[in-house]
Amino acid sequence: MEKKTFDTKRDFAEILAEIQRGSDVEFEDSSDSESGNDAGSEEEALFMSDLDPVYDHQEEESQEQAGPSGVFTPPTIPAAVTPPPPLPARVSPLETSEEEEEGKEFVPPQHRSSSSSGSWPSSPEPMRARGRGRGRQASKRPRPAPIHPEAQLERWHTKEEPDVEPPTPRFEPKNPPGPRIDTTVQWSPLSLFRLFFSSSTINTIINNTNANAARRLAQGAKYKWSPLSGDSFYLFLSIVLFFGLVSVDSRNDYWGRDWPYQFVFPKCSMTRDKFEAIFWSLHLSDVAEDEENERKRGTPQFDRLFKIKPLYGEIVNACNSLFQPNQSITIDERMVASKARIGFRQYMRDKPTKFGYKLFVLADSKTGFTSNFFVYQGKGDTKVKQRGQTEDGLSVTSVMNLMKFDLLGKGYHLYVDNFYTSPRLFSKLLQNHTVACGTIRSNREGFPRTTVNDLPKKPERGDMRWIRKGNLLFARWMDTKIVNICSTFHKAYSGATVQRTVKGPDGRWHRGPVDVPDACRDYNINMGGVDLSDALIQYDTVHSKTMRWYKTFFYHFVDIAVVNSFILHKAVATCQNQTPMSLKRFREVLMKEMVEQAQPVTAAASPGPSGTNTCMPVFRGGDGTQQRRKCVVCAAKAKEKAKQVQGYKAKDMKTPVFCSRCNVSLCLVPGRNCFVEYHKK
């Protein structure tokens, strides 16, 4: 039998030639095909990464159209595929070329340009590594950013080069900045709170809660229910505010009898069972209309926020009309923590509260007053379309929806972060006589692509560069890292400095002045409006654990109403040359006024905490015949005996005596001294 030999050089050359003469479709990289991509899943990934589906794709689209040199080239229609010429005989995959021996980058002949040796045409894209074996990995070298030919004419300017300050519209608001209420009269905390929770809104909530309780009882729920009234609702709100001041692990601890859970206020105001009944039955929308809306689920007519609409609209209208913001305003996101499983719950990794509901908020930078907000309902709530269309993205529509120009007026200075900032948005705001400033992402459409005179590879702290395009100023500044910022009303640099930790000539670190662009300085001062509002809300938030998403919004709306009322109180006190209360004291006075509003007689007669640490028996009424209550010891014994003896009926266990320190009713009669028995435990 004849032994076969394998000619390595000749056989490999023939195999490569056959592959090159084959169809390109058979060896096409499936990762480059767009036929199998899911546009919806890609947009969802962008939303979860806090990216805008319209403007943050421009970089990727441009790179797909960019050549290997980074110069933008328009797409061309591919020519007919022609078989390539045979491989040169002098090159073999197993041979070492002269370029490899000299240490240069080896380029196979089939990928060399026309100027190189050989007659192979140049490929429109660099070769991608497709090896699956060990040691054959794709190149991790990033593709160069696309640079338009016109961008080559631009150059970054240094801080020594002068800049022209752009013209800005005059500040002409519809009303004087500040509270839009009569500042010459005295406003109590409760009267300010009622501006956000009006009587009509409270009556609507009371009626819907009673209807929901009746429906739950008809469905088989077992709890004692008495119709909710206005007095009971104010008591319920006062206890909810108390939850924000005093925090415990469980709601039952607020009515605890053992040390240290011996709180006087919740026990004197409302029983635990009544509070829980109101808490379970709380409902904001009409029950019949709510059921009608549920039947539309899955259709375009379904309203996701229908359960909070009555209170939601009332709070938004009050925020719009009760305060005229100052010249500097800010827009940012706010997260309302929740674990309820609902479609529009969001995840934001950069927020302290990562899971919850996202709100887009417009706030006053100086006071933190929440002037406008709306609840984000997920991807279907925006006008974001597929890539390639000119429809505005979420970063533009959210700002334009919050900016009510007819209420704000002209000449406002808006500060936003890099999620919103784009030349398209800032141009739209200029058309409405509003200027803006914000950090910007380097891959946003319209950001300068030129690298001429850019920051060095390792810039020093305080180095800056800037480019002006009409009213748009783009600046780059080195702080702890490079900051990119865009503005329509700032000059590039006017000699401003900030205090930073810098390294001196002696090699020691110390605090010293660092040059800063005017836009970065004002951005750091005025961007914290929403953060200030969030901090005031989180200090004593009334948020309670609940799996009902609309109840979560109810507690957040209470927080917004309390904080905005407090800001109005500070403004009124300043106008009257008075010292305003602190936020904690404001909440305490508001609670007291709610109790007095609900129970003017009972609240005055309710026992207060004793000034001594000694337990003493005290009568509730003047003659011992009024305000009798059940003895806690006798009631516990009767409950235990009722479990053992069927049909047992307890005797009268009411007593006018209570402990001044423990604030519990106890018997103190001949033959039955529950006062001593209770304190022995």
Side-chain angles (χ1 to χ4, degrees):
M1 187 176 206
E2 184 179 358
K3 186 177 181 179
K4 293 185 180 180
T5 60
F6 183 74
D7 189 351
T8 305
K9 298 182 180 180
R10 182 181 60 79
D11 289 2
F12 266 107
E14 291 179 358
I15 292 173
L16 288 176
E18 291 179 2
I19 292 176
Q20 295 294 338
R21 287 193 297 271
S23 173
D24 291 340
V25 179
E26 297 177 359
F27 301 94
E28 183 180 1
D29 190 356
S30 61
S31 63
D32 295 337
S33 175
E34 296 184 359
S35 59
N37 293 341
D38 186 3
S41 62
E42 184 178 358
E43 286 192 7
E44 189 68 27
L46 288 173
F47 275 103
M48 297 298 290
S49 301
D50 197 23
L51 298 177
D52 188 274
V54 176
Y55 300 110
D56 287 329
H57 264 296
Q58 302 298 331
E59 177 81 10
E60 181 180 349
E61 294 177 355
S62 302
Q63 287 182 359
E64 293 175 357
Q65 298 176 356
S69 62
V71 180
F72 180 85
T73 55
T76 57
I77 301 175
V81 178
T82 58
L87 285 170
R90 69 180 183 86
V91 178
S92 174
L94 300 182
E95 293 179 342
T96 304
S97 65
E98 298 178 358
E99 294 175 352
E100 288 180 302
E101 294 177 354
E102 295 176 0
K104 299 180 180 179
E105 183 181 1
F106 175 71
V107 181
Q110 61 268 30
H111 297 291
R112 293 178 181 174
S113 61
S114 58
S115 61
S116 305
S117 60
S119 58
W120 284 64
S122 60
S123 175
E125 290 187 0
M127 184 68 175
R128 295 185 181 180
R130 299 173 185 172
R132 298 180 182 177
R134 185 175 299 175
R136 301 182 63 184
Q137 298 180 357
S139 175
K140 296 183 179 180
R141 182 186 304 170
R143 288 188 290 181
I147 302 178
H148 197 274
E150 296 181 357
Q152 297 291 351
L153 303 177
E154 300 175 347
R155 62 180 295 271
W156 291 98
H157 302 278
T158 62
K159 59 183 177 183
E160 288 78 13
E161 301 179 62
D163 184 26
V164 179
E165 186 173 358
T168 56
R170 293 180 57 187
F171 182 49
E172 298 176 347
K174 297 294 183 181
N175 300 280
R180 297 179 58 186
I181 57 178
D182 189 359
T183 58
T184 60
V185 299
Q186 295 292 332
W187 290 84
S188 64
L190 181 59
S191 61
L192 293 173
F193 181 82
R194 283 177 171 175
L195 297 176
F196 298 90
F197 274 72
S198 62
S199 300
S200 60
T201 303
I202 291 179
N203 291 333
T204 301
I205 296 175
I206 291 173
N207 295 333
N208 294 334
T209 300
N210 287 326
N212 185 46
R215 181 183 62 175
R216 285 168 52 88
L217 292 173
Q219 292 175 352
K222 296 181 180 180
Y223 60 92
K224 187 177 180 180
W225 174 259
S226 57
L228 182 63
S229 61
D231 295 344
S232 300
F233 185 76
Y234 274 113
L235 286 176
F236 174 80
L237 283 180
S238 65
I239 297 176
V240 168
L241 292 178
F242 180 77
F243 290 173
L245 295 174
V246 181
S247 178
V248 295
D249 291 338
S250 175
R251 284 198 307 270
N252 294 337
D253 293 337
Y254 290 109
W255 285 268
R257 296 172 181 173
D258 298 332
W259 185 89
Y261 307 110
Q262 297 175 348
F263 303 108
V264 176
F265 173 67
K267 297 177 185 178
C268 296
S269 301
M270 184 180 293
T271 62
R272 186 194 63 180
D273 293 342
K274 186 174 183 180
F275 179 87
E276 291 293 338
I278 300 174
F279 183 85
W280 294 335
S281 304
L282 183 65
H283 208 74
L284 306 181
S285 60
D286 184 82
V287 175
E289 295 178 358
D290 191 20
E291 294 176 351
E292 179 67 23
N293 182 65
E294 285 295 330
R295 286 192 284 268
K296 300 177 183 178
R297 184 179 291 273
T299 65
Q301 292 76 24
F302 176 72
D303 189 356
R304 283 183 171 183
L305 304 180
F306 186 81
K307 289 181 180 293
I308 62 172
K309 276 298 177 65
L311 185 57
Y312 179 26
E314 180 77 14
I315 296 295
V316 171
N317 292 335
C319 292
N320 290 336
S321 58
L322 292 176
F323 188 86
Q324 184 72 29
N326 294 279
Q327 188 174 17
S328 297
I329 55 178
T330 178
I331 290 178
D332 202 357
E333 304 95 6
R334 174 187 295 167
M335 292 295 290
V336 181
S338 176
K339 294 183 179 180
R341 297 183 178 181
I342 192 169
F344 56 90
R345 191 183 68 164
Q346 302 293 314
Y347 169 77
M348 294 188 68
R349 61 183 180 184
D350 296 333
K351 294 289 184 179
T353 302
K354 299 185 182 299
F355 287 96
Y357 310 116
K358 180 191 290 188
L359 275 66
F360 289 94
V361 180
L362 184 149
D364 180 44
S365 297
K366 183 178 180 181
T367 62
F369 187 91
T370 301
S371 296
N372 196 10
F373 68 93
F374 71 89
V375 180
Y376 176 57
Q377 304 179 43
K379 186 178 64 175
D381 187 38
T382 66
K383 298 180 180 179
V384 179
K385 303 296 181 181
Q386 300 293 334
R387 285 190 301 163
Q389 299 187 11
T390 59
E391 195 72 28
D392 291 335
L394 177 63
S395 61
V396 176
T397 56
S398 58
V399 175
M400 301 306 292
N401 289 339
L402 290 173
M403 293 289 295
K404 295 183 177 296
F405 300 102
D406 55 337
L407 297 177
L408 293 176
K410 302 178 181 179
Y412 271 91
H413 295 178
L414 174 65
Y415 293 87
V416 292
D417 61 13
N418 58 12
F419 174 74
Y420 306 92
T421 306
S422 66
R424 182 182 182 87
L425 171 64
F426 283 14
S427 299
K428 281 195 169 187
L429 293 173
L430 273 178
Q431 296 174 4
N432 292 275
H433 306 282
T434 302
V435 292
C437 173
T439 55
I440 185 172
R441 299 170 181 175
S442 58
N443 63 346
R444 273 291 164 95
E445 180 185 5
F447 188 82
R449 305 295 185 185
T450 181
T451 58
V452 180
N453 197 31
D454 199 356
L455 287 172
K457 187 175 182 181
K458 294 183 178 180
E460 296 182 358
R461 201 164 198 174
D463 289 350
M464 66 182 74
R465 297 291 188 272
W466 61 272
I467 287 180
R468 178 169 295 282
K469 295 182 179 180
N471 281 9
L472 286 173
L473 170 69
F474 299 93
R476 309 193 73 195
W477 177 53
M478 180 60 189
D479 193 14
T480 54
K481 62 180 180 179
I482 297 179
V483 178
N484 300 318
I485 198 161
C486 179
S487 175
T488 56
F489 65 99
H490 281 104
K491 191 178 178 181
Y493 179 65
S494 61
T497 60
V498 291
Q499 292 294 321
R500 293 289 188 272
T501 302
V502 295
K503 194 173 185 179
D506 55 353
R508 296 183 179 180
W509 294 91
H510 64 280
R511 297 284 292 181
V514 173
D515 296 337
V516 60
D518 296 357
C520 292
R521 177 199 58 192
D522 291 347
Y523 177 85
N524 291 333
I525 295 174
N526 298 293
M527 183 55 197
V530 177
D531 296 336
L532 174 59
S533 177
D534 293 346
L536 293 174
I537 288 175
Q538 292 299 324
Y539 282 152
D540 300 302
T541 179
V542 302
H543 178 66
S544 299
K545 295 180 181 179
T546 176
M547 296 302 293
R548 300 293 182 181
W549 66 271
Y550 56 89
K551 294 182 182 179
T552 301
F553 278 108
F554 169 78
Y555 295 122
H556 185 67
F557 293 158
V558 172
D559 281 330
I560 292 177
V562 171
V563 171
N564 280 0
S565 301
F566 169 69
I567 296 174
L568 292 177
H569 161 73
K570 289 180 62 178
V572 172
T574 303
C575 294
Q576 298 177 358
N577 295 324
Q578 298 177 358
T579 303
M581 294 182 287
S582 63
L583 179 58
K584 180 175 179 293
R585 181 58 183 167
F586 182 85
R587 289 177 179 270
E588 294 170 354
V589 176
L590 178 60
M591 289 169 47
K592 182 179 179 182
E593 291 179 350
M594 284 182 175
V595 174
E596 293 174 350
Q597 169 71 22
Q599 296 177 341
V601 178
T602 307
S606 296
S610 174
T612 177
N613 293 329
T614 305
C615 294
M616 298 291 293
V618 182
F619 284 98
R620 293 188 184 275
D623 54 359
T625 60
Q626 300 175 356
Q627 300 181 11
R628 295 167 58 87
R629 298 185 182 181
K630 287 185 179 181
C631 172
V632 295
V633 176
C634 296
K637 292 180 179 179
K639 186 176 181 181
E640 186 66 26
K641 192 171 183 179
K643 294 180 180 179
Q644 300 175 359
V645 181
Q646 187 176 4
Y648 173 79
K649 187 176 181 181
K651 299 180 181 179
D652 184 21
M653 300 174 294
K654 292 185 178 181
T655 175
V657 180
F658 73 98
C659 178
S660 61
R661 181 175 179 271
C662 303
N663 193 30
V664 292
S665 298
L666 298 166
C667 294
L668 186 58
V669 295
R672 190 170 71 250
N673 195 340
C674 296
F675 187 90
V676 176
E677 185 177 353
Y678 176 82
H679 289 89
K680 282 184 178 181
K681 295 182 180 180

